[in-house]
Amino acid sequence: MLKKILVTISIIILVIVVIVLFLIRGIATKGIPDYNAKIQLDNLKEEVTVYRDEFAVPHIYAKNEEDLYRATGYCMAQDRLWQFDLIRRATTGQLSEIFGEDMIDADQMLRMLRIPEKSKSILENADDEIINTLNAFCDGVNQYIDTHQKNLPPEFSILGYKPDKWLPEHSINLIGYMAWDLTMPWHIETVFQRIREKVGDDKFAKLVPDLDLQKSVVYTEIGENESVLSTDSPYLAAMDKLEGLGLEIFNGSNNWVVSGAKSTSGKPLFANDMHLGLSAPGIWYTMHQVVEGKFNVTGVAVPGQPLIVAGHNEYIAWGMTNVMVDDMDFYYEKINPDNPDEYWFNGEWKPLDVRKEIIKIKGGETVERVNRFTHRGPIVTKNKKMDEDKPISMRWVGNEPSDEMRSLYLMNRARNWEDYKNALKTFIAVSQNIAYADVDGNIGIYCAAGVPIRDGWNGLEIVPGETDKYDWLGLVPFEKLPHSYNPKSGFVSSANNRSAGDDYPYHISHWYAPQYRIDRIREMLTEKALLSIDDYKRMQGDHKSKLVEKMIDRVNYVVDNIDNLNDIEKQSTNLLAEWDGILTKESIATTIFDQFYLELIRNIFLDELGEDLFADYTKVEYTPYLAIDKMWLDGNSEWCDDISTEVIENLEDVISQSFKDAIAELSNRFGTDIEDWQWGKVHGLLLEHPMGGVKLLDKVFNLNRGPYPVGGGSHTVSPYRYDRNNPFTVNYGASHRHIYDTSDWDKSISIIPTGISGIPASKHYCDQTQSYVDNEYRNDYISRDLVEESAKYKQVFTK
């Protein structure tokens, strides 16, 4: 009898398990599209054909623009619907509605940016062709949503909601979000203010980036030639939550172009790789769009908007790097003690713009928050008694008039340098160095940026807001922004380095990237007379470090003179002495050096700053590097002294201690067998899904991918960066790699770190990842015969 009961229970459990697995599989796979299905699309004028290659990258062929963008909306929704709905919610401050109350502060902060307000203004002033483009795109997205209510991507089922109708302003919002995300980290000036107050002006000055040390500028030949927030601020914590969702992605980038005089083809050769947060799905959607007889454009787009952001058409190529412009300022405001809705400005009380924000929370509840705005922008401190504290307001270039959607629309169709410049005139909020090449042999680069004009100050500190003394006087006119066209050197290049030299009349920024990447790029650009696509591939995969080259001799000298080294420390010393400074996966010295550098940062700055301020200071990737560069050049710094001891330590002392700390930490983490310290064994790329932090969901739906062993580091041309609080898990790097040959566009190649699909169960979710980490590429054809020949899928849209 007992045996029968046990058998029955086992059968019941088995049935339940089978049902659960069946349900899970259904949720996981129901959103996977059939790329060969014939689709009837309402409002279509003529048939549209979509070919997809082995990676399912779409090549969309239409006979008119409206049909093209309607099909683009449908295709993009097939692949990335939940992703662009997630970004839409970020731009409108509606994350709490799907994730719960943990996102309330993030939603309030995001609403301070007023992105939808600016998008509506752009839409009201847009030309008819852009409105038609957006309407057609939205129609395609919405038709997909309407016909797939029972077959949406799995995230909608997991979170228990369905997407709202997609509107034109949502697409423009995404450009606004890029502007916010690519601005310099918004807390940097408030952190520096707190450091200044804590350590004093003299010591603080040693941390400020010294522009005189940054000799490698982007625009070496300007012109054209005819041939304070507290550490417990809820808004800083909100930014951490956005990063956890893959929505806070700022980093750096590389681009370079050589003229035909320096290429093996005799025509310009173009390269671009934008460095952003790496997650799954990736931030870029690769596609190729053709209106027969009108235009032919390919590249990467932001999911949720229809235009190529960086790529090439039949005439020109373009690609971007972040200018690193200081486009955000903070002001101490004086609030009326008798009326918290007024602030003092130019001798009188002015009304604040007070907005009540109703934030919906998952489960149906709502909360009310209040955002207040001066004429400059939002008050970004959160104080219950605003009259007792100094509230801080923020001015940000993203709220200035601009129209990046117009710029992209025109860039997709540009045929020459003049068309390109005309397109860039409204590209203001998303400040970029945009490189250029064309089929006629011309090359160039333009600083398309919103650069504030300040009167007598450089934007480095939080300033009094009681008068207009520190208000911006406008933005640098487009014609006066740095640019270079057909330079005598035969190449242009940028890597987030300093924009222009001392002779440039406007202040752009203090927050440039160190010179390591740009110096290595230019070293490789000049090491051969003629460069080929294979040379460019090698360059984009380069892992030789100019930082190591700069530091290693002093490090080796110091560690060679440390007394009483143990066996593993001696082994490590020998490996550093023999190292060539290339961060390969097999290198053990790389691991030792990177851990040493982490310890060096900690040993120099932690004792003065304390844990909280140290954590905030080191969140910004480049600031510790630049400060240490100054110390390295000077040979010492008062920051090297450990204020917790009676002894006065110098740079050599801190190098010695950091080396010993590094070896101890590596031994503790990875064991004393030094072979287990190989860089590729400890340094891996992890592609996390926005919900991949929930282990059960990751296990059930296979949301995350990796880690994949990788070489390189944040200071190499091929960058693989990790957060300092989580070494060595890589989550930043090249978000795409493109190499374009203007002599024959069909020789062009590209790759992204993930795949075209945002559905984890799809075979195209991360099918480019292995090629990406191996520095391999996919063919980027634009000729129809080659597109058809390489196609693995064919989808036809009919009326």
Side-chain angles (χ1 to χ4, degrees), residues 634-683:
D634 293 342
N636 200 17
S637 169
E638 58 191 297
W639 282 92
C640 295
D641 177 42
D642 183 349
I643 63 173
S644 66
T645 70
E646 295 182 2
V647 178
I648 298 177
E649 291 87 0
N650 59 26
L651 181 57
E652 289 193 3
D653 293 326
V654 79
I655 291 172
S656 176
Q657 186 61 51
S658 298
F659 172 76
K660 295 182 75 68
D661 290 346
I663 304 308
E665 177 64 17
L666 292 173
S667 300
N668 183 56
R669 286 189 67 189
F670 306 118
T672 55
D673 183 350
I674 206 165
E675 290 298 317
D676 292 334
W677 297 6
Q678 288 183 29
W679 192 224
K681 290 183 179 180
V682 303
H683 184 244

Side-chain angles (χ1 to χ4, degrees), residues 260-279:
K262 289 185 64 66
S263 79
T264 55
S265 71
K267 288 284 190 177
L269 197 59
F270 185 101
N272 184 211
D273 54 293
M274 294 182 277
H275 307 163
L276 303 170
L278 300 181
S279 56

Side-chain angles (χ1 to χ4, degrees), residues 10-48:
S10 297
I11 292 172
I12 292 171
I13 292 173
L14 181 61
V15 169
I16 292 171
V17 169
V18 170
I19 291 172
V20 169
L21 290 175
F22 182 79
L23 290 172
I24 290 172
R25 177 169 175 76
I27 292 170
T29 61
K30 66 179 181 177
I32 298 176
D34 179 357
Y35 293 135
N36 290 311
K38 192 172 184 178
I39 304 294
Q40 182 178 345
L41 208 53
D42 292 343
N43 305 317
L44 210 61
K45 296 176 181 177
E46 298 181 76
E47 188 173 276
V48 177

Side-chain angles (χ1 to χ4, degrees), residues 41-48 62-68 70 132 136 139 797-799:
L41 208 53
D42 292 343
N43 305 317
L44 210 61
K45 296 176 181 177
E46 298 181 76
E47 188 173 276
V48 177
K63 294 181 174 62
N64 62 79
E65 290 194 32
E66 283 192 30
D67 286 351
L68 174 77
R70 186 167 282 108
N132 293 338
D139 185 35
F797 292 92
T798 62
K799 296 189 285 183

Side-chain angles (χ1 to χ4, degrees), residues 563-623:
D563 294 329
N564 303 317
L565 293 175
N566 61 36
D567 288 343
I568 201 164
E569 289 170 341
K570 290 177 182 177
Q571 285 180 272
S572 300
T573 301
N574 292 335
L575 287 168
L576 287 177
E578 297 166 359
W579 187 32
D580 58 6
I582 301 175
L583 282 63
T584 65
K585 289 186 290 187
E586 298 76 24
S587 170
I588 299 169
T590 297
T591 309
I592 297 168
F593 181 85
D594 248 56
Q595 186 65 51
F596 159 78
Y597 203 90
L598 289 175
E599 302 296 342
L600 186 69
I601 291 171
R602 189 171 183 85
N603 287 333
I604 289 174
F605 300 114
L606 178 61
D607 55 313
E608 281 94 349
L609 299 183
E611 287 286 355
D612 290 340
L613 194 49
F614 174 79
D616 286 343
Y617 172 66
T618 55
K619 275 182 185 177
V620 184
E621 171 69 10
Y622 299 137
T623 49

Side-chain angles (χ1 to χ4, degrees), residues 265-304:
S265 71
K267 288 284 190 177
L269 197 59
F270 185 101
N272 184 211
D273 54 293
M274 294 182 277
H275 307 163
L276 303 170
L278 300 181
S279 56
I283 190 59
W284 297 118
Y285 186 81
T286 310
M287 63 178 174
H288 173 210
Q289 299 171 311
V290 181
V291 175
E292 297 170 31
K294 193 168 184 180
F295 72 88
N296 187 340
V297 63
T298 185
V300 292
V302 177

Side-chain angles (χ1 to χ4, degrees), residues 407-452:
S407 294
L408 294 179
Y409 182 87
L410 294 178
M411 195 105 71
N412 283 208
R413 292 155 176 78
R415 297 188 173 206
N416 52 50
W417 177 254
E418 293 304 316
D419 288 351
Y420 158 88
K421 287 197 298 180
N422 179 49
L424 294 186
K425 287 180 179 178
T426 51
F427 201 92
I428 296 169
V430 190
S431 298
Q432 298 291 294
N433 298 299
I434 305 184
Y436 168 93
D438 66 36
V439 294
D440 295 323
N442 301 300
I443 66 170
I445 189 168
Y446 213 107
C447 178
V451 179

